């Protein structure tokens, strides 16, 4: 079933799959033995404590969910289902208060498994805590989390809340829309048809093998919101659609003059200015793809290049690997990536580059 409910906090619009609504009518006490809650939020700029999500039902057996962020850098999860209680705390550190956090709570009661994850989508910063989960949440209570009324409270800084019947992965994510054309040894192929064993052209022109191809369906909100990068800006010969955290590799005399480097990386999100890029209208959920290469590199598209999946030394971090989109892959068959040394531009630097190219 995968994603079955979604709350877009920008519009305060909840969505629930029709078959799930029908199931709740026919089976009011239905439970969800396996699933995930995914929440993305901005952090309060004035360092106030935030109750990001709260729900409490006191009829029949008590059920409550609470997710809080403290000014000291902790994220606190409390789940109470009758006599069963989960209380977990993750210290996210003292990063800037304006950062975005993505929180994923997953469970599989048949395995007694629970996982609490706090990640910063714009970095590789991922914190994981495991806990025992032996009580299945009721479907009625989970759906209430996606409906900000009555027993449910959602902080204004929350971007979205999504519910899934899968154990949703965390860590490095795919960022290419299926229509993105990648240069391969056999010519240009769409990202959706490239497969492991294919050979793609790296930014320096060399042909490199594709070790793995990653695919994931996600809500089209927050850090997953698609961006259309427009030709002819930054060397593009056709528009492409990517996730907002996809990075475009850019070179040229203006790059060398302004930054003293031959090539730099620009995140798609900071190119959203109405000219070089804009947020792409999308359905509730989008599909992204990405390729894993032997080294941290960029893969060529017609007259430009896009950063490939970066996994660092994830193969040495078994909890993160098991929680990632590469779960199930042999650690011995995964590469270790070292940063290629590209400078990643900030918003004001990208504006300076755009103005220099327009001059």
């Amino acid at each position: 079933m995968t994603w079955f409910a979604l709350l877009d906090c920008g519009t305060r619009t909840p969505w629930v799959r029709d078959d799930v609504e029908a199931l709740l009518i026919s089976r009011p006490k239905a439970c969800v033995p396996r699933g995930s809650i995914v929440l993305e939020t901005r952090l309060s700029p004035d360092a106030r404590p935030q109750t990001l999500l709260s729900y409490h039902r006191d009829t029949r057996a008590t059920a409550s969910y609470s997710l809080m962020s403290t000014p000291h850098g902790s994220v606190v999860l409390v789940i109470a289902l009758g006599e069963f209680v989960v209380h977990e705390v993750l210290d996210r550190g003292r990063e800037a208060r304006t950062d975005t956090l993505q929180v994923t709570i997953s469970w599989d009661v048949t395995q007694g498994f629970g996982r609490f994850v706090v990640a910063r989508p714009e970095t590789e910063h991922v914190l994981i805590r495991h806990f025992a989960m032996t009580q299945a949440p009721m479907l009625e209570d989970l759906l209430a989390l996606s409906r900000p009324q009555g027993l449910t409270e959602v902080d204004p800084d929350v971007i979205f809340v999504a519910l899934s019947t899968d154990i949703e992965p965390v860590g490095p994510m795919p960022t290419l829309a299926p229509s993105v054309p990648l240069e391969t040894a056999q010519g240009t192929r769409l990202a959706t048809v490239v497969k492991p064993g294919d050979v793609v052209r790296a930014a320096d022109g060399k042909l490199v093998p594709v070790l793995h191809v990653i695919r994931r369906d996600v809500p089209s909100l927050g850090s997953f919101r698609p961006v259309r990068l427009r030709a002819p800006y930054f060397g593009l010969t056709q528009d492409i659609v990517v996730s907002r955290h996809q990075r475009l590799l850019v070179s040229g005399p203006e790059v060398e003059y302004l930054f003293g480097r031959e090539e730099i990386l620009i995140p798609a999100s900071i190119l959203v200015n109405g000219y070089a890029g804009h947020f792409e209208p999308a359905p509730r959920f989008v599909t992204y793809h990405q390729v894993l290469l032997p080294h941290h590199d960029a893969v060529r598209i017609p007259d430009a290049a896009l950063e490939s999946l970066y996994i660092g030394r994830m193969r040495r971090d078994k909890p993160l690997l098991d929680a990632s989109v590469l779960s199930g892959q042999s650690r011995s068959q995964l590469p270790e990536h070292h940063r290629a040394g590209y400078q990643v531009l900030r918003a004001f630097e990208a504006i300076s580059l755009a103005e220099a190219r327009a001059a």
Side-chain angles (χ1 to χ4, degrees):
M1 182 186 293
T2 187
W3 302 105
F4 65 90
L6 177 66
L7 171 64
D8 178 352
C9 296
T11 62
R12 307 295 283 184
T13 304
W15 166 84
V16 178
R17 283 177 53 141
D18 291 340
D19 56 344
V20 172
E21 292 277 25
L23 175 63
L24 189 61
I25 293 172
S26 62
R27 295 174 52 198
K29 297 183 180 180
C31 292
V32 182
R34 186 175 188 269
S36 297
I37 302 166
V38 180
L39 176 148
E40 191 165 300
T41 185
R42 292 173 291 269
L43 294 176
S44 169
D46 54 6
R48 63 176 173 84
Q50 294 171 276
T51 299
L52 302 173
L53 183 65
S54 176
Y55 168 79
H56 182 81
R57 172 179 56 77
D58 212 10
T59 58
R60 303 192 302 273
T62 298
S64 66
Y65 296 82
S66 175
L67 185 66
M68 295 171 284
S69 175
T70 74
H72 306 294
S74 296
V75 182
V76 183
L77 170 67
V78 179
I79 301 174
L81 305 175
E83 299 297 319
F84 174 77
V85 177
V86 172
H87 181 195
E88 298 292 338
V89 180
L90 280 173
D91 184 359
R92 58 180 170 77
R94 298 181 178 180
E95 75 277 359
R97 292 290 308 175
T98 54
D99 279 352
T100 298
L101 291 186
Q102 193 174 97
V103 180
T104 305
I105 305 155
S106 301
W107 64 90
D108 186 340
V109 297
T110 62
Q111 304 294 324
F113 162 85
R115 187 170 69 207
F116 177 34
V117 180
V118 174
R120 293 167 59 190
E122 71 278 7
T123 72
E124 292 82 49
H125 187 74
V126 180
L127 299 171
I128 300 176
R129 179 70 56 83
H130 290 92
F131 56 88
M133 186 74 170
T134 57
Q135 177 70 40
M138 291 185 65
L139 177 60
E140 172 190 19
D141 296 328
L142 291 177
L143 291 180
L145 298 178
S146 67
R147 293 166 170 165
Q149 58 187 7
L151 303 176
T152 304
E153 295 183 9
V154 181
D155 190 275
D157 285 323
V158 172
I159 300 167
F160 73 82
V161 180
L163 305 177
S164 169
T165 53
D166 284 340
I167 306 297
E168 293 297 330
V170 299
M173 289 292 152
T175 49
L176 306 179
S179 60
V180 172
L182 304 181
E183 292 189 5
T184 74
Q186 290 76 37
T188 301
R189 290 187 175 178
L190 299 183
T192 188
V193 301
V194 173
K195 60 185 184 301
D198 285 350
V199 176
V200 296
R201 195 170 299 280
D204 61 5
K206 294 180 180 178
L207 293 173
V208 295
V210 174
L211 301 182
H212 297 284
V213 176
I214 311 304
R215 177 187 182 279
R216 191 183 175 204
D217 299 322
V218 292
S220 57
L221 300 169
S223 61
F224 300 127
R225 190 175 181 185
V227 171
R228 177 174 291 272
L229 299 180
R230 300 178 60 207
Y233 297 95
F234 295 99
L236 293 173
T237 56
Q238 66 182 78
D239 290 5
I240 59 170
V241 177
V242 297
S243 166
R244 63 184 302 162
H245 290 304
Q246 173 65 54
R247 293 167 175 171
L248 179 69
L249 185 67
V250 177
S251 60
E254 301 92 350
V255 171
E256 293 191 45
Y257 175 74
L258 290 173
F259 308 108
R261 295 172 180 263
E262 293 184 359
E263 298 170 311
I264 49 87
L265 289 170
I266 305 180
S269 59
I270 66 175
L271 294 178
V272 176
N273 57 11
Y275 299 97
H278 60 76
F279 287 117
E280 178 77 352
R284 292 185 183 92
F285 300 94
V286 293
T287 301
Y288 289 122
H289 299 255
Q290 190 52 281
V291 294
L292 179 68
L293 305 180
H295 305 285
H296 178 224
D297 213 329
V299 60
R300 292 209 61 83
I301 62 175
D303 294 313
L306 299 172
E307 185 182 29
S308 61
L309 188 72
Y310 174 78
I311 64 171
R313 296 184 175 184
M314 191 168 69
R315 73 174 191 169
R316 301 189 185 192
D317 187 340
K318 190 174 186 303
L320 178 55
L321 177 59
D322 290 344
S324 75
V325 290
L326 291 167
S327 175
Q329 301 295 332
S330 170
R331 286 191 286 172
S332 64
Q333 296 180 6
L334 292 177
E336 288 194 6
H337 284 167
H338 304 280
R339 284 292 189 190
Y342 300 122
Q343 178 180 342
V344 180
L345 293 198
R346 291 165 288 185
F348 72 91
E349 292 171 323
I351 293 171
S352 298
L353 177 59
E355 289 176 347
R357 289 197 160 191

